[in-house]
Structure formats: structure tokens, C-alpha cells
Amino acid sequence: MKDMMIGVDLAKDVFQVHGALRTGEVQFRKKLTRTQFPVFMAKQEPNLVIFEACGSAHYWAREMEALGHEVKLIAPQYARPFVKRQKNDAADAEAIVIAARQPEMRFVEPKTIAQQSRAAIFRGRERLVHQRTADVNALRALLYEHGHVFPQGIRSLNRITALVEDRTADLQPLIREECLDLLAQIAEKTARIIDRTAKLKTLAAESDRARRLQTMPGVGPLTAIAVEAFGPDMAQFKTGRDFAAWLGLVPKQHSSGGKERLGRMTKAGQADIRRLLIIGAMSRLGWLGRRAITEGSWLSRMLARKPKMLVAIALANKMARQIWAMLTKNEDYKDPALAVAA
């Protein structure tokens, strides 16, 4: 492999390509169309190619690897500080190469087609849930304007349906017609959500990795698929704490002068996995989940002196570290309390 780094600023139609040696000497700057880019890269000897981790980056990473190049993806926020003066495509491509030359730089692992396929189904389900929530809120707001108040959430939908279908209710015909249309949209989205949920559960049942993750309390099929779809290879993290930090489940630091100042959770990592881990942790702290908590354990001591939400985030952090250990060691979940007793 030549001592060359090629930074590419991706776009829909025109790509900016910047080639430089690892010592910083510029070899070429080119503006290529979408069809010219793969032809040009096929003529190059195997080199290190760097993309920003943005739209279509994972696709192009696989295409470049097929041509024999080594590929790395860099987070846009890590490349931005290296842009010189004016921001344009050429400056962005150069900044990508300069950022990748930094010895301490961290990179994003390219996703496989299987990962992106799972992510598409997962995100499709999330999109439908958000759309259904918007429709339910619109329905509640419409009825609120006509004197009928319902609490938030999907649980009140049966009561709302009964009211709208009741011909004796004090609703104008046009309002009833609009409400029925919203109810039909909600029913359609609910059916599609159920279909995608079943598909995700099937994918989780077919994967040995997902099955292993579900042996942990608080981790279900959706969380397992999210880890598979959005999580990188756990081998790239030295410890489980690094994985928890990658998820944003650690306090934000404002430390200076040797004094530690810790703030709220950073939320700087993968949002889907983090959200599902916190939901799973909250399920373990509910009235039903608390029955399985051993008296005198770390979790019971935390619940005795800390707010429930804070304990849930701490538990989610611990679950992330346990997930890292399970996947790196290829082992099922082991209850720490039982391990200590043994």
C-alpha cells in the first residue's frame, strides 16, 4: 500500500477528492461526478480512503473495499476543526485527510448491508410510532377544543373511539368526520407497527447474538436488534466503560484545575440503544421488577438513597458494560448476585 491518504467529501452528484501523503504533501485535488468517482478510484493503487460518516458513506465504504482500498469513516465533528478559513467542498476534503492523520483520532466502523437492513426496519417502526403519536395528539387537541379532555397516551384511544362513534355525543358532523378519519389513520399505523415489531422479533430469534443479549433482564428483542444494527464491533472498545461512554451514558465533565465537576448525562452517543437501555432499566425498577432485586445489593442500596430516574441511568450504564462483556466473551448473562454467592 502506498503512503497515500485520499479524503473524499461526499455529495449526491459531485464529489471532491483530496489526495496527500501521510507527511502532508498534496498529490492531487479533483472534482468528480458520481459516475467518474468509482472509475477514478479503480485506477488508483490500494490506498487509505477516508469519508465523513454521513449519508451514503457506508455504501461507498463497501464499494471502495471491493476495489482493494482500506476505508475509514470519521465523524463530521472531528473533521470540522481542521477546515481552513472558508468552508467549501475542497476545504472539507482536505480537512478530512488532516483529521485522519492525527494519531489519536477515532473512527467509525463501516456498517454491513445486514446491519443497515435491520436499522431500516427499526427506524421504519420508530417513524410510524412518532407519526401515530402525532395523530393521537391531533385527535386529542381537536376534541379538547370541543369540550372533551383525554389524558396523554395511546391507552385512552378506546374511550376516544367510543365518544366519536356515539351519535348522541355533542360533536358537529364535520368534527366527527375528521375524528373518524384520524382514528382510521391511527388504526392503519398501529397495524403496520405490529407488523414491523413481529419482523424485528423474528430477526432477533434468528440471531445467536440477539438471543444472547436477551438473557439479560431488561433487554428485549428491540434492544437486541438495536445493538446489532447500530452497535460497532465490541472489540474496538478496550473496556465496557468505553462502550457506555460511546452510548452517552456517562456524566458530562466540567472539570478544571484538578477539581472534578460532573453534570448531567452527555447524550453524546448512539441515541436508539441508549433510550432502549434506559427504558429496560426503568422496567427493572417498577413494582414488578423490584421483586427480583436482592436485599442489600448495589441496586437496592441505590434505590434507598437516590431518585428513581437517576438509578435507572446508572443501571443502564451498568447494563451497557455487561453487554460489552457478554459480546466480547461470547457468554450469556450471569447474575452478579448469584456469581458472588457461588
Side-chain angles (χ1 to χ4, degrees):
M1 184 175 291
K2 292 180 63 177
D3 193 23
M4 172 88 80
M5 302 176 74
I6 301 176
V8 184
D9 184 57
L10 294 171
K12 290 186 286 292
D13 299 313
V14 180
F15 298 178
Q16 185 70 42
V17 183
H18 181 95
L21 299 178
R22 294 176 189 266
T23 55
E25 299 171 26
V26 178
Q27 300 299 296
F28 56 80
R29 293 187 179 95
K30 289 185 177 292
K31 184 181 287 186
L32 304 170
T33 64
R34 187 179 184 86
T35 54
Q36 290 173 338
F37 174 65
V39 176
F40 172 79
M41 295 302 295
K43 294 177 181 178
Q44 303 300 309
E45 293 186 21
N47 291 301
L48 175 60
V49 182
I50 310 103
F51 300 108
E52 278 188 333
C54 59
S56 77
H58 296 281
Y59 164 77
W60 285 113
R62 294 193 295 268
E63 291 294 305
M64 293 301 104
E65 287 177 345
L67 294 175
H69 297 288
E70 180 187 355
V71 181
K72 289 187 177 181
L73 305 184
I74 188 169
Q77 61 266 32
Y78 291 162
R80 192 176 299 119
F82 296 95
V83 175
K84 297 176 182 176
R85 298 177 69 84
Q86 301 290 343
K87 186 199 179 299
N88 51 56
D89 292 347
D92 287 346
E94 182 180 5
I96 291 170
V97 173
I98 297 172
R101 276 206 310 264
Q102 310 308 306
E104 71 281 1
M105 185 53 63
R106 297 177 180 176
F107 297 96
V108 179
E109 185 178 346
K111 294 189 184 301
T112 64
I113 295 176
Q115 282 183 304
Q116 286 192 298
S117 301
R118 284 167 165 74
I121 299 172
F122 183 91
R123 288 272 165 81
R125 180 186 179 278
E126 292 294 297
R127 183 178 63 254
L128 286 169
V129 170
H130 289 311
Q131 291 173 356
R132 183 180 66 175
T133 301
D135 288 343
V136 172
N137 288 339
L139 180 60
R140 289 176 50 248
L142 185 59
L143 292 171
Y144 181 58
E145 291 296 329
H146 294 272
H148 299 281
V149 181
F150 292 94
Q152 292 183 5
I154 199 77
R155 297 178 182 177
S156 304
L157 200 58
N158 290 336
R159 290 172 53 199
I160 294 174
T161 303
L163 171 70
V164 173
E165 292 178 348
D166 184 4
R167 293 292 175 178
T168 62
D170 56 340
L171 291 175
Q172 294 296 318
L174 287 176
I175 299 300
R176 178 176 282 106
E177 184 180 337
E178 183 64 22
C179 290
L180 288 171
D181 183 65
L182 282 169
L183 285 169
Q185 293 181 51
I186 292 167
E188 179 191 359
K189 289 183 175 66
T190 299
R192 293 168 68 184
I193 290 168
I194 292 171
D195 179 62
R196 276 171 172 74
T197 303
K199 191 177 294 185
L200 289 170
K201 287 182 178 179
T202 301
L203 289 171
E206 294 172 351
S207 169
D208 183 65
R209 195 178 186 212
R211 180 208 59 77
R212 176 174 290 112
L213 289 173
Q214 291 179 74
T215 60
M216 177 187 291
V219 174
L222 295 184
T223 307
I225 285 294
V227 173
E228 274 203 337
F230 303 112
D233 182 7
M234 294 296 163
Q236 77 175 52
F237 300 109
K238 291 183 179 179
T239 65
R241 295 179 185 275
D242 291 340
F243 178 55
W246 182 79
L247 291 175
L249 284 168
V250 293
K252 185 179 290 186
Q253 292 200 32
H254 302 278
S255 305
S256 179
K259 294 182 179 179
E260 279 196 0
R261 296 183 180 89
L262 303 180
R264 295 186 176 186
M265 189 173 57
T266 63
K267 297 184 181 179
Q270 219 294 322
D272 302 279
I273 302 175
R274 181 180 64 243
R275 176 176 57 82
L276 288 170
L277 283 179
I278 293 174
I279 291 173
M282 286 294 288
S283 71
R284 294 177 63 180
L285 302 180
W287 67 271
L288 188 61
R290 287 196 185 199
R291 299 158 83 181
I293 299 175
T294 307
E295 189 66 32
S297 64
W298 166 82
L299 198 51
S300 67
R301 296 196 304 272
M302 284 283 287
L303 283 169
R305 55 191 177 88
K306 297 289 184 182
K308 185 177 178 180
M309 191 62 198
L310 189 149
V311 177
I313 293 171
L315 179 57
N317 180 294
K318 190 171 186 178
M319 289 169 67
R321 288 183 274 131
Q322 290 170 333
I323 286 173
W324 175 86
M326 290 164 61
L327 295 181
T328 51
K329 297 178 182 178
N330 291 323
E331 295 179 353
D332 289 354
Y333 175 76
K334 296 178 181 178
D335 191 338
L338 296 178
V340 171

